[in-house]
Amino acid sequence: MVFWIMSGGFCRGSAVLCRLSSVFRSVSAGPVRFGSGCQERVCRPLLSGTVDRFGGVTVRDFPPDISEDEFAEMLSVSLRQWRSDQRVAVWLHVPLALSRVCSAAARHGFFFHHARGDRAVLSLWVGPGESRLPAFATHQVGVAGAVVDEAKGKVLVVQDRNKTVNAWKFPGGLSDLGEDIGETAVREVFEETGIRSEFRSLLSIRQQHNHPGAFGMSDMYLICRLSPLSYDIDFCTQECLRCEWLDLTELAETSETTPITSRVAKLLLYGLGKGFHNIDLAMETLPAVYSGLFYQLYHRRLPETHTLHNKDPN
């Protein structure tokens, strides 16, 4: 639904209803003149946007053939209306094919917030005081899977093909958008080694800033404990130089590994000896109350319910 306002006041006499589709397919994006027995007035269309729960407006649809000057005029009218409506922010999701409108947006104070694929997102704070808009995502998430053969005390490890130092490490890679941690670990292990596995727990989290492989941003690296569902290795030769089931004791002591892999190997040895419940961060799915969705919470398991309360003296 696209709303219109009348330039220079509303026409006296009969009302004029201006209608336009969300992508302005039926009429030109420029000013449209109407007459209804009164002095001719100019109807100017607003950009079509949706209002979020924070009071901001998000614009995703643009007339496909709009010029930079036409967009600048339309944006100016829209901003006046949004400020009148006490909106606090405006987000423009500009497709690459319409990048010419970014210059007009910049003249109105917009800045690039982020870009992904064929779309750039520009933002402008129009609320009171200093901008409270959140910065774009600052981290990438890498996930590795430590697949433990508990019966033999071995763990699945690889050596990356394109590393300067070919040290033993757990197979893994970057998590896809919308992919849960455990799913990433299972997927990456299978893609790199051919081993099928299932998620058991989260073991560790590493945070590193100015990561060279994250375009200078920060990096979160999570290692999960997995149980094998198959054992025959068929590793990807494009990504891996070697792949083996290695004894955990050997992995914990060898110099041919990374510090984090060695530390997690020792953690796994402790779990084998004392019980994995002593090292696991188990996962529980809980409802997100504000959205109707669900999220995953990782934490040490709580004691059984009866141990959380004082025993009945009777």
Side-chain angles (χ1 to χ4, degrees), residues 91-92 94 99 101-103 105-106 109-115 119-124 134-136:
W91 303 85
L92 303 178
V94 181
S99 58
V101 306
C102 293
S103 178
F110 282 81
F111 287 92
F112 283 114
H113 187 266
H114 67 276
R119 194 164 292 261
V121 179
L122 285 70
S123 64
L124 175 66
F136 188 52

Side-chain angles (χ1 to χ4, degrees), residues 234-311:
D234 182 20
F235 69 89
C236 175
T237 56
Q238 293 180 329
E239 292 191 47
C240 305
L241 185 66
R242 299 171 65 187
C243 178
E244 294 183 15
W245 289 101
L246 201 64
D247 189 274
L248 268 171
T249 303
E250 181 180 349
L251 183 61
E253 296 176 352
T254 182
S255 60
E256 297 180 1
T257 188
T258 63
I260 190 171
T261 304
S262 177
R263 180 63 60 89
V264 172
K266 294 173 183 176
L267 188 68
L268 289 168
L269 279 172
Y270 184 85
L272 276 176
K274 302 293 185 179
F276 286 117
H277 64 278
N278 289 305
I279 65 170
D280 284 344
L281 294 177
M283 182 273 290
E284 184 178 4
T285 300
L286 298 174
V289 294
Y290 62 86
S291 64
L293 302 176
F294 294 86
Y295 61 84
Q296 294 185 340
L297 181 67
Y298 297 83
H299 59 83
R300 289 287 294 274
R301 289 194 184 279
L302 294 171
E304 295 298 329
T305 304
H306 69 272
T307 65
L308 295 176
H309 307 282
N310 293 329
K311 294 182 178 180

